[in-house]
Amino acid sequence: MKAKDIRRGTVIKFKNSLFSVMDFHHHTPGNLRAMVQVKLRNLMNGNQMEHRFSSTEDIETADVFNQPATFLYSDQNGSHFMNSETYEEVTISDEMLGTGKYYLQEGMQVQLSMYEENPIGIQLPQTVTLVIAETEPGLKGATQTNSPKPAKTDTGLQLSVPQFVNIGDKVIINTESGEYQSRA
């Protein structure tokens, strides 16, 4: 595929490793050639980097297959999933999951990404419902104010929420941006 066709979530082979495209920006500066600036995350160690490709440069995509799986539990070895098709238990390290580990809940259905029979990550649902574990008390009557306050969910995710959200409230979080969407 050409670099101009790169999209968020695409898995590519680059510098003898697998990278997931986190963000991309296609731009043409004046009379120069078009280029694609991408933000990549190494799927083996979780490191992030930025790279600039010429828009006509050939990029090698990886053959990644998705399989349905159920999240079981997390421990010091990583997060454990059960493949819904083969009933095998698969472990993925926290480095490979990145911030995705904060959205996992027991029994949650996810898509397990596999490359050459090895797990390389998961695809989460668009939104998840989490419980607020820590936050400051809300301001009385603060239903219309647009001044967010810091909060922490029961899974450890740090985010900003509106003033009216309190401890114990269930909130809907966008898994791509990590932002509060609404109360559940």
Side-chain angles (χ1 to χ4, degrees), residues 6-21:
I6 285 180
R7 297 293 175 257
R8 185 176 290 139
T10 304
V11 178
I12 63 171
K13 291 180 183 178
F14 180 64
K15 294 186 178 179
N16 297 326
S17 194
L18 290 179
F19 289 88
S20 175
V21 177

Side-chain angles (χ1 to χ4, degrees), residues 99-105 108 124 128 130 157 173-175 178:
T99 58
K101 66 184 176 185
Y102 296 118
Y103 303 110
L104 294 174
Q105 298 169 327
M108 175 185 256
L124 293 162
V128 294
L130 300 175
L157 178 67
I173 311 292
N174 183 322
T175 57

Side-chain angles (χ1 to χ4, degrees), residues 5 9 39 56 74 76 88 92 122 132 140 143 146 161 177:
D5 298 324
K39 186 174 183 182
T56 57
S74 291
Q76 67 273 11
E88 293 177 17
I92 300 178
I122 59 170
I132 299 295
K140 191 115 177 126
T143 57
N146 193 15
V161 296
S177 64

Side-chain angles (χ1 to χ4, degrees), residues 125-140:
Q126 182 74 28
T127 60
V128 294
T129 303
L130 300 175
V131 177
I132 299 295
E134 296 176 21
T135 190
E136 300 167 358
L139 298 174
K140 191 115 177 126

